[in-house]
Amino acid sequence: MESSLLYQAAREGKVAALRELLQLDNLILDKLFINNSFSETPLHVAAMLGHVDFVKEILNHKPDLAKELDMCRCTPLHLAVANGHLETVKLLLSVVDCELLCTSWDEEGRNPLHLAAMRGRIDVLRELLKVAPKACQVGLKGQSGTILHVCVRHNQLEAMKVLVDVIDNYQFVNAKDDYGMTILHLAVTHKQIETVKFLLTNTKIEVNAVNANMFTSLDILAQSQRSEKDFDIVESLRSYGASRTIDQPVPMKRPIIRDVIASPEIRNDHVHQIQKIQKDNNKETKNPEGWLVRKRESLMIVASLIATMAFQAGISPPGGLWEDHGTSYDESISKNVTHVAGESIISYYPNMSDYHAYLISNTVGFVGSLSIILLLVTGLPFCRKFLMWTLTVILWVTITAMTITYLIAILVAAPSHDILNTPAKVSLCLVVSWAGVMLLIALLHTIHVAIKLFKWLRNLIIKRIRRRKQNNIDNVETTLM
């Protein structure tokens, strides 16, 4: 009966009722250790509800109750922290060993600092860090990761900022969980753009750290579901030197393996995996065709844009379309010609050959871009020289056709009285620039082919000289024998 009255007083925070019960039985709080050892104490109830005066009165009579655990292995401090009762937290920390309480794990393997970070109790977290700063470096019991991982998983950026201000060293910020994931990996996985920016600008985070699967943050982002935040995250990561594993000349080596992998068999597998990546990188460096494989997505975007422009130029030529049926004078044949609504205006004057040239060049560009898209989506092995050469030629023809289309559009749309001034100068500059680019590319290719031919001839001559020397040596040995 007295116990039920004690718990009722704790729920209501009635200090007077507590004092009356203590007057009736001075040992009422001591009996809790015998009769109620596996459930919450009145101090748990009062701390959870934030009854500061009641908590203070209990601690005056029995301070050891602050160390007691409930059925979930929570101390009263756990409950006060989880509910954000700052004054209660201060009171509990003032009468008991702070380090002991702050490093105590509950049933889920969390200490009070983990709960404060998880719930976003910033004021409480600051108070805990004042009295026990080392407790934030205690990991989750039976779980992977640090308190910073907890902040990211529960999207508590402000709590992370408080923790980093207190402890900002390389090992703490770059700690990994059982899967080799740093907090940057997690922030990218959860698309937390503000967290990513904070880590890059205010911490010593390793931007190209790899997880147990040898994935960097950019690798994880590339494999995740697309969202509108991806562009901002990629831009932020790239601005701080982030790269994908395939782009790294030397992947993360022994430190990553030592931290993430304990088994020798698994370590050997990862060493083999790293060596394979290095070998592939060397192949791509020596083989320029690997560039095309990596840029397949970019080429697809470019081809799609060209196809869109060509389609739009085809249905909306310069000068527009006739809006009605009627008759117009054709200067090329010196007579009136009947036109129909929806037909191109420039096809009637001043010269139909201009429209034909425009239509042909635009169609070539449109078909060329569609051909590029078709070649890319079919998944053909572009590491073969012929296919790469075919794609390169189609791309060159497509870009040239779109340049001609633009040139004709300028000349056709220019006023007749001004065609020899600005339009002519623009056209001349365009032709000269394009011709210069083509000549430069041709010159570079010629030099490249000449160098290859020179090396081939040199190797051929060296082989023949060596073969002759070897033959002479064989003949001499045969003669001596």
Side-chain angles (χ1 to χ4, degrees):
M1 182 65 181
E2 291 180 351
S3 295
S4 61
L5 293 175
L6 181 59
Y7 279 96
Q8 183 178 353
R11 286 192 293 270
E12 297 176 359
K14 293 182 178 180
V15 178
L18 173 61
R19 290 173 180 170
E20 290 178 2
L21 291 172
L22 287 171
Q23 288 177 358
L24 294 175
D25 187 357
N26 289 332
L27 300 178
I28 188 172
L29 295 177
D30 298 273
K31 293 178 181 178
L32 295 172
F33 291 93
I34 301 174
N35 300 326
N36 207 21
S37 58
F38 294 102
S39 62
E40 60 188 9
T41 66
L43 183 59
H44 284 90
V45 177
M48 179 175 60
L49 299 175
H51 298 316
V52 181
D53 295 334
F54 195 93
V55 170
K56 184 176 181 180
E57 188 68 23
I58 288 185
L59 292 176
N60 288 336
H61 289 84
K62 196 68 176 177
D64 289 341
L65 284 178
K67 302 177 184 178
E68 288 300 306
L69 305 177
D70 63 7
M71 296 182 64
C72 296
R73 299 192 60 80
C74 289
T75 65
L77 181 62
H78 280 91
L79 302 178
V81 167
N83 290 278
H85 301 310
L86 179 59
E87 296 302 322
T88 305
V89 170
K90 290 180 179 180
L91 186 58
L92 289 168
L93 293 173
S94 64
V95 297
V96 190
D97 184 5
C98 301
E99 292 289 341
L100 178 63
L101 286 183
C102 291
T103 56
S104 176
W105 286 305
D106 63 7
E107 190 178 43
E108 301 294 330
R110 303 167 300 191
N111 65 30
L113 280 85
H114 294 143
L115 289 174
M118 184 177 69
R119 298 289 184 90
R121 311 299 187 188
I122 306 303
D123 294 335
V124 173
L125 181 61
R126 288 196 178 98
E127 186 64 28
L128 294 173
L129 289 171
K130 286 180 183 178
V131 298
K134 294 182 180 179
C136 68
Q137 299 187 59
V138 177
L140 294 161
K141 184 180 180 180
Q143 301 182 36
S144 61
T146 66
I147 190 171
L148 295 181
H149 289 81
V150 174
C151 292
V152 177
R153 290 191 184 105
H154 293 85
N155 197 18
Q156 297 293 344
L157 177 57
E158 295 303 319
M160 178 183 291
K161 291 179 179 179
V162 173
L163 291 165
V164 171
D165 286 340
V166 175
I167 301 178
D168 182 17
N169 59 58
Y170 183 85
Q171 289 77 14
F172 181 59
V173 174
N174 290 282
K176 298 182 177 182
D177 60 15
D178 291 343
Y179 303 98
M181 301 282 280
T182 65
I183 52 177
L184 183 60
H185 285 111
L186 286 180
V188 170
T189 302
H190 295 291
K191 305 297 179 68
Q192 298 175 8
I193 178 62
E194 296 300 327
T195 303
V196 171
K197 290 181 178 179
F198 170 76
L199 292 174
L200 294 174
T201 56
N202 296 278
T203 68
K204 301 174 183 177
I205 194 71
E206 175 57 51
V207 69
N208 285 320
V210 295
N211 62 10
N213 293 322
M214 302 302 295
F215 290 154
T216 65
S217 299
L218 275 181
D219 291 324
I220 292 176
L221 186 64
Q223 296 180 2
S224 64
Q225 187 176 1
R226 301 297 185 193
S227 71
E228 57 184 9
K229 298 179 181 179
D230 286 6
F231 179 79
D232 292 334
I233 296 177
V234 170
E235 187 178 15
S236 299
L237 290 172
R238 288 290 190 187
S239 63
Y240 281 85
S243 62
R244 299 185 61 177
T245 304
I246 195 173
D247 299 328
Q248 295 180 16
V250 181
M252 305 303 291
K253 300 179 184 176
R254 295 180 181 176
I256 300 301
I257 296 175
R258 183 173 62 249
D259 293 342
V260 178
I261 307 167
S263 172
E265 293 80 6
I266 301 178
R267 181 178 298 138
N268 292 333
D269 292 341
H270 275 260
V271 170
H272 177 70
Q273 191 175 15
I274 292 175
Q275 291 174 349
K276 183 178 179 182
I277 293 174
Q278 290 176 330
K279 185 177 180 181
D280 293 340
N281 288 338
N282 293 334
K283 285 183 179 180
E284 290 185 2
T285 302
K286 295 179 181 179
N287 183 14
E289 296 168 6
W291 172 88
L292 185 59
V293 177
R294 298 195 304 271
K295 300 299 181 182
R296 182 188 295 264
E297 185 176 351
S298 300
L299 289 174
M300 180 72 75
I301 295 174
V302 172
S304 300
L305 289 175
I306 294 176
T308 302
M309 291 189 300
F311 179 82
Q312 187 64 30
I315 62 175
S316 300
L321 306 173
W322 292 109
E323 297 181 356
D324 57 356
H325 300 280
T327 302
S328 61
Y329 182 75
D330 191 341
E331 296 180 355
S332 60
I333 57 177
S334 300
K335 67 178 184 179
N336 292 327
V337 178
T338 302
H339 61 261
V340 180
E343 294 181 339
S344 174
I345 296 177
I346 65 171
S347 62
Y348 287 88
Y349 62 86
N351 193 344
M352 187 172 288
S353 60
D354 294 335
Y355 175 71
H356 290 166
Y358 174 85
L359 184 61
I360 291 172
S361 61
N362 187 68
T363 303
V364 170
F366 182 69
V367 174
S369 60
L370 293 182
S371 302
I372 294 172
I373 296 174
L374 181 63
L375 287 173
L376 291 174
V377 299
T378 52
L380 294 176
F382 286 106
C383 56
R384 298 184 180 181
K385 292 184 178 180
F386 176 75
L387 291 174
M388 181 181 176
W389 179 82
T390 302
L391 186 62
T392 303
V393 171
I394 294 175
L395 185 60
W396 181 83
V397 171
T398 301
I399 296 176
T400 303
M402 296 308 299
T403 305
I404 295 174
T405 301
Y406 176 75
L407 179 62
I408 296 174
I410 289 178
L411 295 176
V412 169
S416 58
H417 62 82
D418 190 45
I419 195 170
L420 297 178
N421 295 324
T422 302
K425 294 178 181 178
V426 171
S427 302
L428 180 62
C429 291
L430 181 61
V431 171
V432 172
S433 301
W434 187 253
V437 171
M438 292 298 103
L439 289 175
L440 178 61
I441 294 175
L443 178 62
L444 293 176
H445 277 284
T446 303
I447 294 174
H448 180 67
V449 172
I451 292 174
K452 279 193 170 183
L453 181 61
F454 173 76
K455 289 182 178 179
W456 180 78
L457 290 174
R458 184 189 63 181
N459 293 334
L460 181 62
I461 294 172
I462 292 175
K463 286 182 180 179
R464 288 186 177 181
I465 293 174
R466 288 178 178 174
R467 191 178 296 118
R468 281 183 187 177
K469 288 182 179 180
Q470 186 64 36
N471 291 335
N472 293 335
I473 293 173
D474 294 340
N475 291 335
V476 171
E477 291 178 352
T478 303
T479 304
L480 291 176
M481 292 177 62

